[in-house]
C-alpha cells in the first residue's frame, strides 16, 4: 500500500530529500574509505561539505513537512530526516578524528572497519528500498528484518571482535587510544541510526495500512 492518497509535489519532495540524504551518506562512506587510504585534505573538506549540505536538506524537509502528509506521519518523517542527518555528522566526525590519528590502522582493524562499512552500505541500500515500498506500495517487513539482522551483525563485530581487540591494543598515549575508539564508535553508530530510521518508517507504514 502506498502512503500517497494524493500524489502531491510537497510529499514527493519529502521522500526525494530523504533519498538524497541516503545518497549523501553513501557518498561520504566512499570518501571516508578514500580518506583513510590517503589522508588527502581535499577529501576531508568534501566530507565536511556534504555534511553541511545534509543540514540544509534536513532543514528543508522540516519546513516542507508543514504542508505535506497527514499530521500523524510528520513526526516520524521529521525524525527520519534528523537521524539521517546524524549519519552524515558521524561520518564527518569519523574523518576528522582519523585526521588526528598519528599512525595508520593495523591490518586487523582496517579489515574490520572495511567490513562494517560494507554492511552499512548494504543497510542504506535496504533503507532506500523501504522508501520505495512506502511510496509505491509493497511489503516492507522483510526489508526491515534484513536491516535489523545487519545491525545485529555489526553489533556482534564490534562487541566480540573489535572491542576485545582494542582492550589489548598498545597505544602511544591515552589520547591516541581515545581518538581511535571515538573514530570507531562514530562508524559503528551509523548502523544504529539506520535501524532507527527503519523503525520510524515502519510506523508510517503501519499508519497507512
Amino acid at each position: 500500500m502506498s502512503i500517497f492518497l494524493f500524489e502531491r509535489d510537497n510529499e514527493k519532495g519529502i521522500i526525494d530529500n530523504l533519498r538524497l540524504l541516503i545518497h549523501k551518506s553513501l557518498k561520504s562512506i566512499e570518501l571516508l574509505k578514500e580518506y583513510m587510504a590517503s589522508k588527502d585534505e581535499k577529501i576531508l573538506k568534501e566530507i565536511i561539505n556534504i555534511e553541511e549540505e545534509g543540514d540544509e536538506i534536513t532543514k528543508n524537509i522540516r519546513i516542507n513537512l508543514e504542508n505535506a502528509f497527514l499530521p500523524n506521519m510528520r513526526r516520524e518523517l521529521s525524525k527520519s530526516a534528523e537521524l539521517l542527518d546524524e549519519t552524515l555528522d558521524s561520518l564527518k566526525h569519523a574523518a576528522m578524528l582519523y585526521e588526528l590519528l598519528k599512525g595508520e590502522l593495523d591490518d586487523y582493524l582496517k579489515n574490520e572497519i572495511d567490513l562494517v562499512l560494507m554492511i552499512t552500505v548494504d543497510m542504506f541500500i535496504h533503507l532506500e528500498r523501504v522508501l520505495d515500498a512506502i511510496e509505491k506500495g509493497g511489503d516492507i517487513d522483510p526489508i526491515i528484518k534484513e536491516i535489523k539482522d545487519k545491525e545485529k551483525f555489526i553489533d556482534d563485530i564490534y562487541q566480540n571482535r573489535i572491542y576485545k581487540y582494542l582492550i589489548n591494543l598498545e597505544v602511544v598515549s591515552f589520547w591516541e587510544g581515545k581518538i581511535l575508539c571515538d573514530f570507531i564508535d562514530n562508524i559503528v553508530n551509523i548502523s544504529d541510526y539506520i535501524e532507527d530510521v527503519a523503525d520510524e518508517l515502519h510506523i508510517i507504514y503501519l499508519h497507512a495500512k
Side-chain angles (χ1 to χ4, degrees):
M1 176 184 293
S2 170
I3 64 172
F4 292 115
L5 301 178
F6 308 98
E7 293 198 4
R8 301 193 303 171
D9 289 342
N10 283 344
E11 291 164 353
K12 185 73 167 63
I14 298 294
I15 297 298
D16 286 346
N17 274 330
L18 289 174
R19 277 201 189 89
L20 185 55
L21 287 172
I22 291 173
H23 295 165
K24 295 284 184 186
S25 292
L26 288 169
K27 180 62 176 176
S28 284
I29 290 174
E30 179 185 329
L31 289 170
L32 177 61
K33 291 168 70 175
E34 292 177 15
Y35 183 66
M36 288 168 61
S38 67
K39 278 202 171 180
D40 185 334
E41 188 176 335
K42 291 180 181 178
I43 297 175
L44 177 60
K45 287 180 179 178
E46 192 170 352
I47 293 171
I48 293 170
N49 287 339
I50 288 175
E51 187 274 333
E52 291 171 354
E53 292 168 3
D55 287 341
E56 287 301 310
I57 295 167
T58 302
K59 183 170 74 174
N60 287 336
I61 288 174
R62 287 173 177 156
I63 292 170
N64 291 325
L65 269 175
E66 294 299 319
N67 299 309
F69 293 101
L70 298 173
N72 64 347
M73 296 178 178
R74 291 173 187 162
R75 190 207 70 82
E76 287 79 13
L77 288 163
S78 179
K79 185 65 176 177
S80 295
E82 178 185 324
L83 289 164
L84 287 170
D85 192 41
E86 287 292 335
T87 70
L88 292 170
D89 289 342
S90 287
L91 287 161
K92 179 190 76 171
H93 292 146
M96 294 174 72
L97 286 163
Y98 194 79
E99 181 189 26
L100 298 175
L101 284 175
K102 294 178 181 177
E104 295 183 357
L105 298 180
D106 62 29
D107 287 342
Y108 180 83
L109 282 177
K110 183 180 182 305
N111 289 336
E112 294 297 298
I113 294 297
D114 283 347
L115 177 58
V116 168
L117 288 173
M118 182 182 72
I119 299 168
T120 302
V121 166
D122 203 24
M123 290 179 71
F124 273 121
I125 292 169
H126 278 71
L127 190 61
E128 187 167 18
R129 288 178 58 207
V130 172
L131 283 178
D132 289 341
I134 286 177
E135 181 181 11
K136 300 170 185 176
D139 185 6
I140 72 169
D141 289 339
I143 313 173
I144 296 285
K145 184 180 183 304
E146 283 286 332
I147 291 173
K148 289 184 174 296
D149 287 346
K150 291 177 189 300
E151 194 278 331
K152 288 178 183 176
F153 187 26
I154 289 178
D155 276 351
D156 182 67
I157 292 170
Y158 177 70
Q159 293 171 12
N160 294 317
R161 289 155 56 171
I162 295 176
Y163 181 73
K164 288 181 179 179
Y165 183 78
L166 289 173
I167 288 174
N168 297 308
L169 185 67
E170 292 186 8
V171 292
V172 296
S173 69
F174 166 81
W175 289 110
E176 186 78 357
K178 186 177 190 313
I179 290 168
L180 175 60
C181 289
D182 289 349
F183 163 74
I184 293 171
D185 284 347
N186 272 280
I187 290 175
V188 170
N189 287 344
I190 295 169
S191 65
D192 292 325
Y193 294 135
I194 297 172
E195 183 184 28
D196 289 344
V197 174
D199 287 339
E200 296 294 336
L201 296 177
H202 198 201
I203 293 170
I204 292 173
Y205 177 79
L206 293 174
H207 281 322
K209 289 185 75 172

